[in-house]
Amino acid sequence: MASHRKSRPSGARAAGIRTPALATAALTSMALFSQSAEAAPAEDGKPSLEEVEKKVDALYRQAESATEKYNAAKERTGRQRKQVDTLLDDVARRTERLNKAREELGSFAAAQYRTGASVPDTATFLLADSPQGYFDQDQLMSRLTSRQKGAVDDYVTQQSATMKKRQEATRSLEALTGTQDDLKAAKTTVQTKLASARELLSQLTAAEKARLAAIEKRQQEEAARKAAELAKQQAAAADRAASSSAASSASGGSASGSGSDSAYATKAAKAIAFARAQIGKPYVWGATGPGSYDCSGLSQAAWKAAGVSLPRTTYDQVNAGTTVSLADALPGDLVFFYDDVSHVGIYIGNGMMIHAPKPGAYVREESIYYGGESIIHSVVRPA
């Protein structure tokens, strides 16, 4: 069964991106159900093993898609919470200054009360909805001293600025609330899909589980064959490139890009070494390490170890580098899967990758063809 992630509308693809032959949840797996007994309806109206396998794969796909939505919402929530905290701190400081300005006006009111001076009613001013409008009347402003006018101007300025910041904070709080709702909805979706998958798997008999394991074994064998083919193609391409470079050097030319290729290879080696050290750790949706990972959490952590900062989600990581063809993939490149770019693995060469596959599985090395060639979306070089 396959592993995967988030849903996003797909637009025009850049060069080097493969368009899947079909884009349905049922193609989450490339299982070849050649035995009719496996596809035949079970007794008592129970779904066939093929139907269970497809449903479970689809549920895992939907869970990973929701996981990427969760990851994105979590990122937005963190940023918005920081923004709200900053705005609230600013509002508190401005409110303090506004209170000081109000106190100064209040001192004028007290002095006027003691002396009986004929000046505008400061108490009425302080309660007015529009202090500036109150003092815009020439006959009133002319009766204020310059110091009083300065206090009024300061109060009006502080009040206006404070009101604007309060409105901004209110809008930011509303946005944060909306994102938190998205976060909760995505979390609920993930949990619901995983629970449904577990329920389906729990209904399988021991014989059915054995047949399902046989199906997965055939999938792996086919994926290994495809990976070996790609490895041969890439080795041949590397030989041609080396011959071209040698010929260029012999004729007095210089191979272009060798320095940048070497720098990338160094970083990629660090990313791969990190990813390899995580093998055996469990897939946990929303996890970024160190004890567990989801697929984009692993790719982000691996490249961070190489000094490269990647975004959190698969659909942002796919834009964080240069798209290359599958035939030109180098160790360290990121391989993305499915039309919705919902899964990612770290290419290690020879048609293989390291990835965090799906719920219930562990970080492992696996063929990039684990779900068939049609589900490979694109290959991206992140540095």
Side-chain angles (χ1 to χ4, degrees):
M1 286 176 280
S3 60
H4 332 100
R5 270 194 182 199
K6 142 125 195 154
S7 173
R8 265 213 176 170
S10 58
R13 301 262 179 92
I17 299 180
R18 180 182 299 276
T19 303
L22 295 173
T24 62
L27 283 182
T28 326
S29 168
M30 62 158 249
L32 304 176
F33 298 97
S34 57
Q35 297 181 15
S36 59
E38 292 173 350
E43 298 177 359
D44 303 326
K46 289 177 60 179
S48 68
L49 186 60
E50 177 185 15
E51 291 171 336
V52 170
E53 197 266 354
K54 287 184 177 181
K55 287 179 180 179
V56 170
D57 271 355
L59 287 167
Y60 280 152
R61 284 275 289 113
Q62 292 161 12
E64 279 205 302
S65 178
T67 293
E68 288 304 307
K69 291 179 181 178
Y70 173 88
N71 292 339
K74 188 176 181 180
E75 290 284 289
R76 288 199 304 274
T77 298
R79 291 194 299 268
Q80 289 172 345
R81 184 173 287 115
K82 289 180 181 178
Q83 183 181 28
V84 167
D85 289 344
T86 299
L87 286 169
L88 291 178
D89 287 343
D90 193 7
V91 167
R93 289 191 295 271
R94 291 180 183 279
T95 299
E96 185 177 356
R97 290 196 291 269
L98 181 63
N99 290 337
K100 289 181 180 178
R102 183 183 287 114
E103 289 172 2
E104 186 169 359
L105 287 174
S107 67
F108 291 146
Q112 292 157 13
Y113 178 80
R114 289 194 300 271
T115 62
S118 179
V119 294
D121 184 354
T122 306
T124 301
F125 162 73
L126 292 173
L127 295 174
D129 291 333
S130 177
Q132 184 61 61
Y134 182 88
F135 279 97
D136 277 345
Q137 303 175 58
D138 291 339
Q139 68 271 27
L140 296 179
M141 291 298 291
S142 64
R143 292 157 63 185
L144 294 175
T145 67
S146 59
R147 184 182 174 190
Q148 289 171 326
K149 288 180 181 179
V152 169
D153 289 341
D154 182 52
Y155 180 83
V156 170
T157 299
Q158 296 296 340
Q159 186 190 55
S160 177
T162 302
M163 288 179 65
K164 287 180 180 178
K165 284 297 178 180
R166 283 175 178 167
Q167 291 170 353
E168 188 177 352
T170 297
R171 289 193 296 269
S172 294
L173 279 169
E174 290 172 350
L176 176 59
T177 299
T179 304
Q180 288 175 327
D181 289 342
D182 292 342
L183 190 68
K184 291 177 182 178
K187 181 177 181 179
T188 298
T189 299
V190 174
Q191 293 173 331
T192 300
K193 299 300 180 183
L194 295 183
S196 297
R198 286 193 296 269
E199 175 63 20
L200 281 172
L201 291 172
S202 70
Q203 296 174 8
L204 295 179
T205 64
E208 288 172 332
K209 290 178 180 178
R211 291 204 305 274
L212 189 58
I215 291 172
E216 292 180 339
K217 183 178 180 181
R218 291 200 301 273
Q219 291 176 338
Q220 293 168 3
E221 290 171 349
E222 176 63 16
R225 185 186 66 78
K226 287 275 191 179
E229 289 178 2
L230 178 61
K232 289 180 181 179
Q233 294 171 8
Q234 291 178 329
D239 288 342
R240 289 193 297 271
S243 297
S244 176
S245 177
S248 177
S249 298
S251 62
S254 60
S256 60
S258 57
S260 60
D261 289 346
S262 177
Y264 178 76
T266 300
K267 292 179 181 179
K270 292 179 180 178
I272 292 172
F274 179 92
R276 186 163 279 122
Q278 312 315 307
I279 290 176
K281 293 183 178 180
Y283 173 101
V284 174
W285 66 273
T288 57
S292 58
Y293 297 88
D294 61 20
C295 71
S296 56
L298 177 63
S299 56
Q300 183 188 48
W303 271 100
K304 182 179 180 181
V308 176
S309 179
L310 292 181
R312 174 65 182 93
T313 63
T314 54
Y315 44 83
D316 287 329
Q317 290 180 7
V318 75
N319 296 315
T322 303
T323 300
V324 300
S325 69
L326 183 58
D328 293 330
L330 294 176
D333 291 350
L334 301 180
V335 184
F336 294 90
F337 299 86
Y338 304 97
D339 255 354
D340 57 9
V341 198
S342 58
H343 189 66
V344 63
I346 303 166
Y347 190 61
I348 59 175
N350 296 324
M352 301 294 289
M353 66 178 174
I354 297 174
H355 69 150
K358 60 185 177 182
Y362 298 83
V363 175
R364 65 193 183 203
E365 289 187 12
E366 191 165 23
S367 168
I368 61 173
Y369 297 107
Y370 73 98
E373 187 173 0
S374 67
I375 68 168
I376 298 175
H377 176 279
S378 57
V379 180
V380 172
R381 192 156 298 156

